Amino acid sequence: MNIVRPTIIARATENVPYMIDLIKKLEANGYVYKTSVGLQFDTSKFPKYAEFAHLDLENQQAGARVAVDDERRNPWDFALWILNKPNHIMKWDSPWGVGYPGWHIECSAMCLHYLGEQVDIHTGGIEHIKIHHTNEIAQSEGATGKKFVNYWLHSGHLMADGTKMSKSLGNGYNIDDLKSRGYHPLAHRYMLLKGDYKKSFNFTWENVHNAQIELVKIWRAVSEIADCVGGQILDKYLTKFRDALDDDLNTSLAITELWNLLNSKEAPADKLATLEKFDKVLGLDLENADYRLNELEDYQGISQLDKQAARLLLKDREQARKDKDYAKADEIRNRIDAMGFEVLDSKNGSQIRLKEFGKL
């Protein structure tokens, strides 16, 4: 998927001391009270609690949340540290007794420790808005007195064939499923980039198929100009590309700008330099387009022997053309075509490639 590995990968179980420190700060600031279940965050002490998710607390039913701890002062109060669970698998010592942290405190504690008291961008699924992220804000700002996050980016759900992914329906797919059907994982990445991150996205094999066709066209176009070095970045395209990303991460519009550049009559070297700049964001691995195309051939089940046989035939065809035996050259071309390859002739010579990538 060409995803850059994070600088820090933090496990919640390795960061419990920071959670305890954060709860201490909240306790010192008057946000904590104790029940028989454990330490609770008093949402009534945080006046902005309902603002982020536009909650109507007065008319909300407490539901199952109250059943967890009927000693809570307010229905929306939440656990910071859970006590009196001697048989629970998680146990840590704390100033309040042996227990384990509440679900929400771990995220705030790790954000504050590794990223600082204020975070520029925080992501997550739309299901976290009303409870988890609302509680993160309350905890973090309750401890620091500072605005916690400048920009929240909440993503919609990934559906499969119009329904939620689930084991019972058998519609939960992984990367190996893509490759086994002849699709490159980056085709899935490209498909997602063409969507709106805020909206639910419907995964279908047809969508992946169409995305792969487009991505292959991009890789092939870049491969053809890969030797055109020393180009200048074209600011007029880069500006529009950045404007698209600044418009609430409109990657779909950014992809459109990529195609506008690809289909333009700009100098190949300038085109390549600008496309590589785009790809620092898009991550379609354009600089390794040839390698990715060869990789995709492997996913398509094309063996090295098949490729080698087709290349040998291509050499025979080139010799036939030199000998002006055009009937033989056409016959060899038909044989290559029957093997699933097509021949591309240019002033720089001939090459072969698969006729089609991906089958539904």
Side-chain angles (χ1 to χ4, degrees):
M1 291 289 288
N2 200 26
I3 297 171
V4 178
R5 191 169 180 83
T7 307
I8 297 169
I9 299 177
R11 295 178 181 272
T13 52
E14 296 172 355
N15 289 273
V16 174
Y18 304 123
M19 302 174 206
I20 292 173
D21 289 342
L22 179 54
I23 297 171
K24 285 180 180 178
K25 291 179 182 177
L26 291 171
E27 189 174 43
N29 291 346
Y31 289 100
V32 180
Y33 66 93
K34 191 174 182 180
T35 68
S36 59
V37 172
L39 302 183
Q40 309 294 327
F41 184 97
D42 190 344
T43 55
S44 67
K45 299 291 182 65
F46 189 75
K48 298 192 303 178
Y49 184 76
E51 289 181 9
F52 178 67
H54 307 291
L55 300 174
D56 183 2
L57 299 184
E58 290 185 4
N59 296 317
Q60 286 280 3
Q61 295 294 321
R65 299 187 71 194
V66 173
V68 173
D69 186 352
D70 56 11
E71 298 174 34
R72 285 178 178 171
R73 297 175 182 173
N74 312 288
W76 291 96
D77 292 353
F78 55 93
L80 297 170
W81 189 264
I82 298 169
L83 300 165
N84 302 322
K85 300 285 184 180
N87 297 322
H88 201 281
I89 190 171
M90 295 192 295
K91 294 187 186 73
W92 286 272
D93 290 326
S94 79
W96 313 283
V98 175
Y100 59 93
W103 173 44
H104 312 290
I105 196 69
E106 61 189 45
C107 296
S108 291
M110 290 190 288
C111 274
L112 295 174
H113 175 69
Y114 292 108
L115 303 177
E117 292 184 344
Q118 293 181 288
V119 178
D120 196 24
I121 297 172
H122 195 313
T123 65
I126 55 174
E127 72 275 13
H128 292 321
I129 296 174
K130 288 187 176 181
I131 300 176
H132 184 50
H133 287 166
T134 290
N135 292 350
E136 269 197 77
I137 291 171
Q139 293 167 156
S140 302
E141 296 187 6
T144 67
K146 300 175 183 178
K147 183 179 181 181
F148 178 40
V149 174
N150 290 327
Y151 300 98
W152 289 88
L153 275 65
H154 289 102
S155 60
H157 295 133
L158 180 63
M159 313 292 283
D161 301 314
T163 61
K164 183 179 178 181
M165 286 190 182
S166 69
K167 289 183 179 180
S168 60
L169 293 175
N171 62 350
Y173 305 115
N174 58 33
I175 295 298
D176 286 338
D177 292 324
L178 286 170
K179 293 191 288 188
S180 68
R181 294 198 183 206
Y183 296 109
H184 199 288
L186 287 176
H188 178 62
R189 181 186 182 102
Y190 179 79
M191 178 186 73
L192 295 177
L193 287 170
K194 291 190 68 180
D196 184 339
Y197 79 90
K198 298 186 301 297
K199 298 178 181 177
S200 294
F201 195 95
N202 188 31
F203 176 95
T204 66
W205 290 110
E206 182 178 6
N207 285 339
V208 179
H209 180 77
N210 293 334
Q212 180 148 293
I213 290 173
E214 290 188 26
L215 181 57
V216 165
K217 288 180 181 178
I218 294 172
W219 278 340
R220 284 175 171 170
V222 171
S223 177
E224 290 170 4
I225 61 174
D227 294 333
C228 302
V229 297
Q232 302 294 313
I233 293 174
L234 301 168
D235 288 336
K236 63 179 180 180
Y237 291 96
L238 185 60
T239 298
K240 290 182 180 179
F241 182 82
R242 284 175 169 164
D243 287 346
L245 297 175
D246 287 343
D247 182 15
D248 198 9
L249 202 63
N250 192 336
T251 52
S252 177
L253 187 57
I255 290 288
T256 298
E257 198 54 36
L258 179 148
W259 278 103
N260 289 340
L261 173 58
L262 208 57
N263 295 325
S264 72
K265 296 181 179 180
E266 303 289 351
D270 295 345
K271 190 182 292 189
L272 181 63
T274 309
L275 286 168
E276 289 178 346
K277 187 74 171 178
F278 287 4
D279 204 41
K280 296 295 184 183
V281 173
L282 300 176
L284 299 174
D285 204 19
L286 301 186
E287 67 176 343
N288 295 307
D290 276 336
Y291 171 79
R292 293 301 190 178
L293 287 168
N294 287 330
E295 197 174 43
L296 184 51
E297 288 179 354
D298 294 335
Y299 300 153
Q300 291 283 305
I302 304 299
S303 70
Q304 292 299 322
L305 288 175
D306 290 336
K307 292 184 210 178
Q308 187 175 1
R311 291 189 185 108
L312 289 173
L313 284 173
L314 185 64
K315 287 184 178 181
D316 291 343
R317 178 177 177 270
E318 289 174 346
Q319 186 60 51
R321 294 178 74 192
K322 288 180 181 178
D323 297 340
K324 297 186 178 181
D325 188 348
Y326 298 115
K328 183 177 180 181
D330 288 343
E331 186 268 331
I332 294 174
R333 185 187 189 117
N334 291 336
R335 288 173 63 188
I336 293 173
D337 182 82
M339 295 172 67
F341 297 93
E342 61 181 335
V343 178
L344 301 175
D345 295 320
S346 71
K347 61 182 180 181
N348 297 321
S350 300
Q351 59 178 323
I352 58 170
R353 70 184 186 191
L354 283 180
K355 287 189 291 186
E356 181 184 3
F357 282 99
K359 294 180 175 60
L360 288 172

